[in-house]
């Protein structure tokens, strides 16, 4: 009956022997405690955020300006905000369709702010061992405070912190409780949390209230300037023909996400290689015409209306 298959009786005869006291049955609480104590330790890597910051991200000027006003200035000048009784933000949520570069954006956000940076995933924090997930979360915050100021970026945060009202396992509910406890006044400790998700509605609501991930920013498909910059970046150092019109490429790819742009360039490059020719504008246009955006328009519209009044 044990949850772990390896700990169950392997036959009816073995079960009868245990009832008769012919074989010793270890105490399950002791086994679980030992497993918890002997679990592999989770390594937490803290990086120094160095780079061009937002200058490395083409376009998205409205989102950058909003982040500067709502978050970055508060992190740089907490004393000014304290004068007006405005609390330092503890964290924010980046949400949007897959392939829009949420991890890329978060890294450059850390560079813009100038904080140390920790990149975490649910797989690096979750554990099958008893209490290990909570311990990993606690260790993450401990390392962040030790290296403060620190930005902790948790990708696919909905997998780590699912809604506790759902059918999620008790282990995940404990993880949410631990995260809520650890996020108490993190801003004052020099820690800022960024969560990223493609499924914002699956996150436990308590994580999205004031004092937690209360700042929510929609990361949409790249705008015109961003798409143009991506084509320039991905086509750089490749054998190009004359006459590549980057403005036209950006115009033809409205509603294409960042991953789509990279795919278009790579597919065109493969075609050019196969034909033993340079990458031409005609080849790029043909690839665009035969490749639909990976995220349907209806799916994008769902994200666009979400939390819109609260983003200001």
């Amino acid at each position: 009956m044990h949850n772990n298959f390896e700990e169950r009786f392997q036959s009816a005869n073995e079960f009868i022997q245990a009832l008769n006291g012919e074989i010793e049955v270890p105490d399950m609480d002791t086994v679980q405690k030992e497993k918890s104590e002997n679990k592999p330790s989770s390594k937490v890597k803290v990086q120094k955020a160095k780079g061009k910051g937002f200058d490395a991200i083409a376009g998205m000027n409205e989102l950058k300006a909003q982040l500067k006003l709502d978050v970055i200035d508060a992190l740089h000048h907490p004393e000014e905000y304290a004068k007006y009784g405005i609390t330092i933000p503890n964290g924010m949520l980046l949400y949007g369709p897959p392939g829009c570069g949420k991890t890329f954006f978060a890294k450059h956000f850390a560079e813009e702010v100038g904080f140390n940076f920790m990149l975490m995933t649910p797989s690096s924090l979750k554990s099958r061992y008893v209490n290990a997930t909570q311990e990993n979360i606690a260790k993450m915050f401990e390392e962040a405070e030790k290296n403060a100021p620190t930005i902790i970026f948790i990708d696919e945060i909905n997998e780590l912190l699912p809604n506790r009202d759902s059918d999620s396992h008790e282990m995940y509910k404990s993880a949410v409780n631990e995260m809520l406890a650890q996020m108490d006044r993190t801003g004052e400790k020099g820690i800022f949390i960024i969560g990223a998700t493609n499924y914002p509605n699956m996150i436990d609501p308590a994580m999205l209230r004031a004092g937690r991930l209360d700042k929510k920013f929609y990361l949409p498909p790249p705008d015109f300037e961003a798409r143009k910059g991506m084509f320039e970046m991905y086509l750089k150092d490749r054998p190009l023909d004359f006459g590549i019109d980057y403005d036209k490429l950006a115009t033809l790819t409205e509603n294409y996400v960042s991953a789509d742009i990279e795919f278009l360039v790579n597919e065109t490059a493969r075609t050019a290689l196969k034909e033993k020719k340079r990458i031409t504008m005609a080849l790029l246009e043909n690839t665009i015409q035969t490749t639909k955006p990976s995220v349907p328009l209806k799916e994008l519209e769902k994200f666009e209306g979400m939390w819109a009044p609260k983003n200001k």
Side-chain angles (χ1 to χ4, degrees), residues 47-51 107 109-117 151:
Q47 303 172 340
K48 183 64 180 175
K50 291 181 179 179
K107 286 182 177 179
F109 173 87
E111 293 170 0
E112 186 74 18
V113 177
F115 284 14
N116 289 322
F117 185 72
I151 288 175

Side-chain angles (χ1 to χ4, degrees), residues 9 11-26:
F9 295 112
S11 66
N13 184 52
E14 189 175 300
F15 177 62
I16 293 171
Q17 286 180 302
L19 289 177
N20 294 332
E22 297 174 15
I23 60 174
E24 183 180 353
V25 180

Side-chain angles (χ1 to χ4, degrees), residues 1-256:
M1 298 295 288
H2 195 274
N3 291 332
N4 188 344
F5 179 78
E6 296 176 356
E7 304 295 348
R8 297 177 187 173
F9 295 112
Q10 300 303 305
S11 66
N13 184 52
E14 189 175 300
F15 177 62
I16 293 171
Q17 286 180 302
L19 289 177
N20 294 332
E22 297 174 15
I23 60 174
E24 183 180 353
V25 180
D27 180 73
M28 286 295 97
D29 291 335
T30 303
V31 171
Q32 289 194 357
K33 184 172 184 286
E34 288 176 354
K35 283 192 173 184
S36 180
E37 291 174 349
N38 295 328
K39 66 187 177 299
S41 59
S42 175
K43 293 184 179 179
V44 178
K45 186 177 180 182
V46 182
Q47 303 172 340
K48 183 64 180 175
K50 291 181 179 179
K52 296 181 179 179
F54 282 166
D55 289 341
I57 304 174
M60 305 180 77
N61 294 323
E62 187 177 340
L63 177 58
K64 293 176 190 174
Q66 190 178 345
L67 279 166
K68 188 175 188 310
L69 178 65
D70 291 355
V71 179
I72 296 175
D73 286 348
L75 294 175
H76 281 163
H77 309 289
E79 66 287 344
E80 289 296 318
Y81 280 66
K83 285 180 185 178
Y84 291 87
I86 300 175
T87 29
I88 304 165
N90 284 346
M92 70 180 185
L93 181 71
L94 296 176
Y95 68 95
C100 281
K102 290 182 280 294
T103 305
F104 176 80
F105 192 90
K107 286 182 177 179
H108 288 296
F109 173 87
E111 293 170 0
E112 186 74 18
V113 177
F115 284 14
N116 289 322
F117 185 72
M118 295 169 62
L119 174 59
M120 310 300 294
T121 61
S123 60
S124 66
L125 293 170
K126 290 195 299 186
S127 174
R128 63 189 178 90
Y129 295 98
V130 178
N131 298 325
T133 302
Q134 298 96 292
E135 291 171 17
N136 288 341
I137 291 172
K139 182 179 178 181
M140 174 182 72
F141 278 94
E142 182 183 336
E143 288 296 317
E145 187 172 0
K146 191 187 302 181
N147 293 278
T150 306
I151 288 175
I152 300 175
F153 174 69
I154 305 175
D155 201 7
E156 298 177 337
I157 196 170
N158 56 286
E159 291 188 15
L160 179 68
L161 307 171
N163 193 329
R164 287 170 293 180
D165 291 336
S166 66
D167 295 330
S168 58
H169 191 277
E170 191 65 34
M171 182 188 302
Y172 300 133
K173 295 179 182 179
S174 299
V176 176
N177 292 334
E178 179 67 26
M179 193 75 179
L180 291 171
Q182 290 288 345
M183 282 196 71
D184 186 34
R185 303 167 75 97
T186 50
E188 297 178 10
K189 299 174 184 176
I191 301 172
F192 186 76
I193 312 295
I194 303 177
T197 182
N198 304 328
Y199 306 100
N201 289 331
M202 295 174 65
I203 300 172
D204 191 273
M207 284 302 305
L208 305 176
R209 292 176 190 149
R212 273 82 185 222
L213 302 178
D214 50 347
K215 297 289 183 181
K216 306 172 188 69
F217 297 97
Y218 171 50
L219 203 64
D223 57 22
F224 178 88
E225 289 300 325
R227 295 194 302 275
K228 179 181 175 182
M230 285 176 189
F231 274 111
E232 291 172 346
M233 178 180 68
Y234 291 130
L235 286 168
K236 185 180 179 182
D237 299 327
R238 304 200 195 211
L240 300 179
D241 194 17
F242 294 106
I244 302 297
D245 188 341
Y246 293 102
D247 284 343
K248 186 175 182 181
L249 291 174
T251 300
L252 292 172
T253 50
E254 186 177 3
N255 293 326
Y256 283 70

